[in-house]
């Protein structure tokens, strides 16, 4: 969840429904927090169950030839960048080791 959806209030839900966390009564604040946690857990459970059971009407989207090529190219560029950084790091480590050996 991103921060914007967390802070956004649903206009269909009224603030005066049920216990409030802003109440003066300690028990009411505790009850409001428990209800909020329960609702959050129910939503997470629905998402978890929904993601594990695929919908029957969902169609598998295959990538076009161009999209596959773009995806492969990006993966190759990421690999080249990581390999290049590793090579530079190895050169630095070797130079430091030679300098350290020369000092002693």
């Amino acid at each position: 969840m991103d921060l914007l959806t967390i802070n956004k209030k649903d206009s269909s839900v009224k603030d005066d429904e049920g216990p409030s966390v802003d109440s003066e009564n300690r028990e009411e604040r505790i009850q409001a927090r428990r209800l909020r946690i329960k609702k959050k857990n129910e939503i997470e459970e629905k998402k978890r169950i929904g993601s594990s059971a695929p919908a029957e009407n969902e169609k598998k989207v295959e990538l076009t030839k161009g999209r596959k090529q773009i995806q492969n190219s990006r993966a190759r560029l990421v690999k080249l960048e990581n390999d290049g950084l590793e090579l530079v790091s190895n050169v630095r480590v070797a130079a430091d080791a030679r300098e350290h050996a020369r000092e002693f």
Side-chain angles (χ1 to χ4, degrees):
M1 274 187 173
D2 60 340
L3 189 58
L4 294 175
T5 57
I6 292 172
N7 292 332
K8 192 186 302 181
K9 287 192 174 184
D10 187 8
S11 60
S12 65
V13 176
K14 296 179 183 173
D15 289 336
D16 55 334
E17 287 182 5
S20 171
V21 292
D22 298 326
S23 173
E24 298 277 331
N25 185 350
R26 180 177 183 259
E27 295 300 320
E28 187 177 342
R29 291 191 309 265
I30 292 171
Q31 185 64 29
R33 288 188 198 104
R34 287 181 179 157
L35 286 173
R36 188 177 63 215
I37 291 169
K38 183 179 177 183
K39 287 178 185 178
K40 179 183 165 191
N41 289 340
E42 287 173 356
I43 291 171
E44 288 176 358
E45 183 70 19
K46 285 180 183 177
K47 285 182 182 179
R48 189 182 60 79
I49 291 173
S51 65
S52 64
E56 292 177 10
N57 59 357
E58 246 182 63
K59 295 180 181 177
K60 187 175 180 180
V61 177
E62 291 202 22
L63 297 175
T64 62
K65 204 175 193 181
R67 293 282 180 194
K68 286 181 186 177
Q69 185 177 5
I70 290 171
Q71 191 177 32
N72 291 340
S73 296
R74 285 187 178 154
R76 185 173 178 217
L77 286 172
V78 168
K79 184 181 181 315
L80 285 171
E81 181 181 15
N82 290 338
D83 290 347
L85 288 174
E86 184 180 353
L87 177 64
V88 169
S89 297
N90 289 341
V91 169
R92 286 182 183 164
V93 169
D96 289 344
R98 279 193 306 266
E99 184 177 337
H100 182 68
R102 185 180 61 85
E103 290 174 0
F104 291 105

